[in-house]
Amino acid sequence: MTPDPLVLQAFRDPECVRHFSLVDWDLALRQAGSGKLVASLAMVLEDSGLLPTLPQQARAHLAWSLTQAERHGQAVRWEVAQIRAALADCGVPFILLKGAAYHMAQLPAARGRLFSDIDILVPKADLDQVEAALMMHGWISTHHDAYDQRYYREWMHELPPMQHVRRESLIDVHHAILPETSAARPDPEKLRAAALPLGALAGVSVFSPHDLVLHSAVHLFYDGELDHGMRDLIDIDRLLRHYAGAPGFWDALAARAVELEVGRPLFYALRYVSQMLGSPIPAAALAASAAAAPPAMLLGLMDRLFGRALLPAHASCDDAWTACARFLLYLRANWLRMPPLMLARHLFHKAFLSPKPE
């Protein structure tokens, strides 16, 4: 494998950037850009007091990214307000997920984090009226193929993605955090019961601290599209560092993972944030999560796959096996989401029957 990318080194040990040459900065910023990490890196360096010490060229690029992140945050708050207004008439409360949740709850994981869509969770019984309310306010489905519509509505844990006709903002409406065809199915009722209201935003909640961590782990380690895998790993690192000091946090996290049937994603999350980002995970927490670890030979293979696929999707981060690793993890993600026969039919349909984009 190639040496650790410069951007990964910078997140793990910000002080190392003092030794970056202009050539190093050019490469590090390209790596960060491919993973939507430039603003996050700028925040880390600003918090470390290093931003004023950087070469002017790098400092200017990072400063611009901070302005972009500020505008992005404003856009997120606006879109959440529009979603809340759209759902007010039907009276369905919703839970913000991932990036939007971090932003609206003002968590450290939101600092510099850029994302393209807003994810919400609503009860499955309310999906029809939620979809109708969003359509009345300008959001329409982006998947028009009949097979894709059936795929989402019958088998997946979300509606087909919806896009606003004027603003082009994207929203994903979930009723669970894993598909109904998945072997592991965390109970959405348990997630909703533990959710925390968002202050003055009546009807809007975010997951509890433990569920925020577990959902981020599930999203990263059940998803076959890892182009922004390092960004998601940094999310987990920031969430863990933020909540680590809460009394009983680590014991409750392990217990909650067992309750929700997501011990394996938590094991991978703790393993790779510790190995790749130097996260200070207590030995007892690592030991507890190891109860869900795969067999040793499989773990060795997963280390090699995730060790490549979680890096930014940039040529300088790749080796001869990176493309293969990403493809195998894509197949693994589909295998985890569907039983074998359904998976075979799905992959055949997508490969040979679904309309191809022009």
Side-chain angles (χ1 to χ4, degrees):
M1 292 182 65
T2 58
D4 285 344
L6 293 171
V7 66
L8 177 57
Q9 296 178 39
F11 274 103
R12 187 170 57 223
D13 177 19
E15 288 290 329
C16 76
V17 304
R18 293 184 184 275
H19 308 293
F20 281 12
S21 67
L22 286 178
V23 173
D24 291 336
W25 271 115
D26 180 71
L27 180 57
L29 289 172
R30 290 176 187 274
Q31 292 170 350
S34 69
K36 290 190 174 181
L37 291 168
V38 178
S40 292
L41 178 60
M43 292 288 189
V44 167
L45 298 177
E46 183 177 59
D47 292 345
S48 302
L50 293 166
L51 205 55
T53 72
L54 305 183
Q56 188 276 330
Q57 297 92 327
R59 189 169 67 251
H61 191 94
L62 291 165
W64 173 83
S65 75
L66 293 177
T67 301
Q68 181 189 28
E70 183 179 352
R71 294 298 300 272
H72 182 79
Q74 293 172 353
V76 170
R77 292 189 289 274
W78 168 262
E79 287 299 329
V80 169
Q82 302 314 301
I83 295 168
R84 183 167 173 255
L87 299 185
D89 291 341
C90 63
V92 177
F94 62 93
I95 299 173
L96 289 169
L97 305 177
K98 299 187 300 186
Y102 308 153
H103 272 271
M104 298 305 293
Q106 299 182 343
L107 295 172
R111 289 174 55 77
R113 192 187 193 278
L114 304 181
F115 51 96
S116 57
D117 54 6
I118 291 179
D119 297 73
I120 66 172
L121 181 82
V122 300
K124 186 177 182 181
D126 295 326
L127 281 178
D128 288 346
Q129 59 176 324
V130 167
E131 183 177 22
L134 291 172
M135 290 177 67
M136 288 293 292
H137 285 77
W139 280 277
I140 59 173
S141 177
T142 59
H143 287 62
H144 304 295
D145 177 62
Y147 176 82
D148 284 347
Q149 287 287 327
R150 182 186 177 200
Y151 170 76
Y152 277 100
R153 296 177 186 278
E154 293 188 16
W155 301 323
M156 289 296 102
H157 54 303
E158 59 185 319
L159 294 175
M162 303 180 75
Q163 185 173 40
H164 199 273
V165 292
R166 289 188 297 176
R167 299 192 302 275
E168 298 186 353
S169 56
L170 291 166
I171 181 172
D172 286 335
V173 180
H174 299 248
H175 60 83
I177 64 171
L178 280 175
E180 304 211 333
T181 54
S182 173
R185 283 180 295 215
D187 187 349
E189 292 297 331
K190 292 181 178 179
L191 293 167
R192 281 196 291 272
L196 303 176
L198 257 184
L201 292 179
V204 186
S205 304
V206 297
F207 281 157
S208 70
H210 301 106
D211 292 348
L212 282 171
V213 173
L214 292 173
H215 180 225
S216 189
V218 166
H219 173 70
L220 178 55
F221 293 104
Y222 266 80
D223 197 338
E225 297 180 2
L226 293 167
D227 289 350
H228 302 125
M230 187 172 165
R231 181 196 67 182
D232 296 338
L233 196 68
I234 289 169
D235 288 348
I236 298 171
D237 171 69
R238 288 176 166 179
L239 289 170
L240 291 173
R241 290 177 189 266
H242 179 64
Y243 292 120
F249 171 77
W250 293 104
D251 290 340
L253 179 64
R256 184 66 163 171
V258 172
E259 181 184 3
L260 294 177
E261 304 177 33
V262 292
R264 183 68 60 84
L266 177 62
F267 167 76
Y268 285 136
L270 298 186
R271 182 177 182 84
Y272 297 128
V273 294
S274 175
Q275 290 182 357
M276 299 179 72
L277 294 169
S279 304
I281 311 298
L286 290 172
S289 72
M297 289 186 62
L298 178 56
L299 179 56
L301 173 62
M302 300 310 293
D303 283 347
R304 287 164 175 77
L305 296 180
F306 280 121
R308 292 172 169 86
L310 290 174
L311 298 178
H314 188 271
S316 65
C317 303
D318 295 350
D319 66 11
W321 297 100
T322 298
C324 179
R326 291 182 178 275
F327 179 69
L328 290 175
L329 288 173
Y330 168 78
L331 293 180
R332 170 187 176 270
N334 282 282
W335 177 265
L336 292 174
R337 287 165 172 256
M338 291 179 251
L341 183 58
M342 179 182 291
L343 174 60
R345 289 202 307 263
H346 175 68
L347 293 178
F348 178 85
H349 196 288
K350 297 302 288 185
F352 301 107
L353 301 178
S354 291
K356 301 297 184 291
E358 296 182 3

